[in-house]
Amino acid sequence: MKLKTALLGAAAMAMTAPAAWAERGADGEVKLTFPQAVSILNPYLTDGTKDVLAAGFVIEPLASYDAEGNRVARLVTELPTVENGGISADLTSITWKLIPGLLWSDGTPVTAADVAFTAQYCMDPAGGCAQSAKFANIASVEAVDDLTAKVTFKGPQSNPFVAFVGGQTPILQKAQFEACLGAAAPTCTDQNSGPIGTGPFRVTGFTVNDTVQMEANPNYRDPAKPAFAKATIKGGGDAESSARAVMETGEFDYAWNTQIPPDSQAAMTAAGKGQFVVAFGTLVERIETNLTDPSPDLPEGERSTAKHPHPILTDVNVRLALSKAIDRNTLVEVGYGAGGQPTCNLVPAPAMFASDNTECLTQDLEGAKKLLEDTGWVDSDGDGIRDKDGKKLSLLYQTTVNPIRQDFQTLIKSWWNEIGVEVELKAIDPGVFFGGDAGSPDTFQKFYADVEMYANNFSGTDPEAYLAEHACDQAPSPENQWQGPNINRFCDPAYDALLKELTAATDPAKRAEIAIKLNDMLTKDSKVIIPLVHRGTLSAHSNALGGVAINAWDNEITNIADWYRVK
């Protein structure tokens, strides 16, 4: 579908223009290539990083994180603190003060009513909000006046910087989205494909799973930015072709997620046209296990739901054996080199939140075999595949189309075969896999496979909201439009109770202790999640593109407004 908008008046506020450019739009067009095509521009209806990334050109949160992991104000005059009165002394509320004169790209004022509406939009249980975990501890959001939004929590909140902080929870314009509440949310195609925002660009055209076209927002708060008059994101293909389009042919300025082997990176860098950039944050490549039955023999709407436990993977010993069989050091060597390190943790950083769990770092094929043998998984008919109670130990293993992931699939399949597990491999177009389309059978949220592999991370340096994604009520299902981050359908009352303790804990050491326990419940103790590699965020940009500061703690290109063409 195509969206067209008309240029509006000049920006409301004046700021000093950086020396890199003279005026807004002076540097023409910036072109980006994503190996995963953009499917939607509303982060509340997707967990796909590529969608959140693209939406960040247009819609913004109240605050974000910079490339060093520091919180920074964006649409507000300052970050709230207890000292300045923005956070209540009892930690039950946080008050945000919007920048006076802030405009939407259509020229209308941004008000606190938009902030309150955004919370209402995501907190509606019928809307299938993908970011609902970030609003789980909020009791209410009210517009105190046009420039003041007050968030009241259900109890003391030691980390109040969850909702509206980071690219996953931007502010939506109430006037545009007010007809899209609840079950209507996914039906609002125009709004979800062309949100009106406060960011440096606005959408002029969007072809789903292909191309996003944008132009400079004439009402952006800094009249000297962005330097580029247009921005285009072309999606599809694969990571290697995206990298080549920047590093060798020069067709594009920036390639996101250039997940290619180290030798390919070195060969492309030799062309002298661009550079790979990497930043380490919390990104972990992992295998997710499905605790529910994805069998196509089940009725649609019941597959991969709590109605039917998985016939194999509900056995913790099988999950532990699968983990033991993997040689993570070989995976790093094959796939990432210096751009990765083996890990046993879902939360690998910051250091204070990282568990000292290292038991998975040594491959143990014999231990995996014995574990299966001792729990009744034996090869009763000599065909090389273990079975139990008439059920073959056979798994469908899916991931996205990507050279490193296919290498990982091949290696892991060989190790699992060696311990008596039959494995079928499936590779899905990443635009579809991460697309969030409730009608598609191939999304990672729907999880119509036994295990699947991908990577994601969390905004900022506190993992509370990220760990809350595995609460019982965060599982995707037909009732919530197949949205929700708890794709394993993991549900443990003890885990949910510990989450509440984390929310209330104010002492940093205590918070770290609880977060580590939660991490270990998902990984070390149960292997519901099987971490593989702590990855750097790797992308590529042209030598002619200036101002790039790759960000591993938030939307990777949060500073898109600061990019310019090197003269």
Side-chain angles (χ1 to χ4, degrees), residues 96-441:
W96 299 91
K97 296 284 189 178
L98 292 170
I99 297 170
L102 194 65
L103 299 178
W104 293 106
S105 61
D106 65 0
T108 59
V110 179
T111 73
D114 296 303
V115 180
F117 170 80
T118 301
Q120 179 187 5
Y121 177 90
C122 187
M123 293 169 71
D124 190 314
C129 180
Q131 312 304 334
S132 59
K134 298 175 178 62
F135 292 80
N137 296 315
I138 292 177
S140 65
V141 179
E142 61 178 312
V144 177
D145 57 44
D146 282 351
L147 298 180
T148 308
K150 182 180 180 180
V151 180
T152 301
F153 301 107
K154 296 175 181 177
Q157 182 77 17
S158 56
N159 175 28
F161 298 102
V162 180
F164 311 128
V165 182
Q168 293 175 315
T169 54
I171 307 304
L172 300 178
Q173 187 191 56
K174 179 180 179 180
Q176 184 185 27
F177 279 87
E178 60 187 344
C180 303
L181 290 170
T187 70
C188 291
T189 304
D190 288 352
Q191 292 89 335
N192 296 330
S193 298
I196 294 168
T198 57
F201 292 93
R202 62 181 184 180
V203 180
T204 57
F206 179 30
T207 303
V208 176
N209 292 329
D210 188 356
T211 305
V212 185
Q213 296 169 314
M214 293 169 279
E215 66 185 3
N217 174 6
N219 289 299
Y220 188 58
R221 54 191 173 275
D222 185 337
K225 298 179 181 179
F228 292 101
K230 296 181 180 180
T232 299
I233 301 173
K234 175 65 176 175
D238 54 66
E240 187 162 352
S241 60
S242 286
R244 290 191 188 283
V246 171
M247 301 294 289
E248 294 184 348
T249 70
E251 181 184 357
F252 286 86
D253 299 294
Y254 193 93
W256 166 70
N257 195 26
T258 49
Q259 191 180 346
I260 59 175
D263 56 346
S264 296
Q265 296 174 39
M268 292 184 195
T269 302
K273 291 187 176 181
Q275 56 187 290
F276 288 98
V277 285
V278 64
F280 276 92
T282 59
L283 187 64
V284 171
E285 189 80 19
R286 75 288 197 112
I287 290 173
E288 303 275 359
T289 64
N290 193 347
L291 299 182
T292 57
D293 191 349
S295 172
D297 296 334
L298 293 172
E300 189 61 32
E302 293 188 17
R303 298 174 65 185
S304 289
T305 69
K307 293 180 181 179
H308 302 280
H310 198 285
I312 296 173
L313 293 173
T314 46
D315 185 342
V316 64
N317 294 296
V318 173
R319 302 195 301 268
L320 289 169
L322 294 176
S323 179
K324 281 179 176 291
I326 297 171
D327 184 348
R328 290 161 174 81
N329 292 291
T330 295
L331 295 180
V332 170
E333 182 181 348
V334 168
Y336 297 101
Q341 54 193 33
T343 187
C344 303
N345 292 321
L346 175 65
V347 179
M352 68 180 292
F353 292 110
S355 172
D356 61 3
N357 174 25
T358 59
E359 53 82 25
C360 81
L361 299 183
T362 300
Q363 185 185 39
D364 185 6
L365 290 167
E366 294 306 312
K369 292 175 185 177
K370 186 176 187 304
L371 186 60
L372 293 173
E373 194 85 21
D374 290 348
T375 52
W377 290 97
V378 298
D379 181 6
S380 64
D381 58 9
D383 66 353
I385 304 167
R386 295 179 185 271
D387 56 86
K388 182 178 181 180
D389 300 329
K391 181 74 176 178
K392 287 288 188 182
L393 186 44
S394 180
L395 303 175
L396 174 60
Y397 173 10
Q398 70 182 20
T399 189
T400 62
V401 175
N402 175 278
I404 293 178
R405 288 192 171 132
Q406 270 66 78
D407 285 345
F408 277 25
Q409 278 187 305
T410 300
L411 286 166
I412 292 171
K413 177 181 179 178
S414 70
W415 294 323
W416 287 354
N417 286 165
E418 192 169 342
I419 65 171
V421 181
E422 183 179 49
V423 183
E424 178 186 352
L425 301 181
K426 182 177 181 179
I428 301 169
D429 180 280
V432 174
F433 187 77
F434 293 115
D437 179 1
S440 170

Side-chain angles (χ1 to χ4, degrees), residues 45-111:
L45 298 183
T46 178
D47 272 313
T49 301
K50 39 91 175 187
D51 302 321
V52 175
L53 199 79
F57 284 59
V58 179
I59 48 180
E60 302 175 288
L62 298 178
S64 59
Y65 295 88
D66 65 17
E68 285 71 48
N70 302 306
R71 275 190 292 267
V72 292
R74 288 193 79 162
L75 304 183
V76 291
T77 57
E78 62 181 350
L79 290 175
T81 64
V82 173
E83 291 72 23
N84 65 23
I87 299 174
S88 64
D90 62 2
L91 305 183
T92 60
S93 69
I94 182 171
T95 301
W96 299 91
K97 296 284 189 178
L98 292 170
I99 297 170
L102 194 65
L103 299 178
W104 293 106
S105 61
D106 65 0
T108 59
V110 179
T111 73

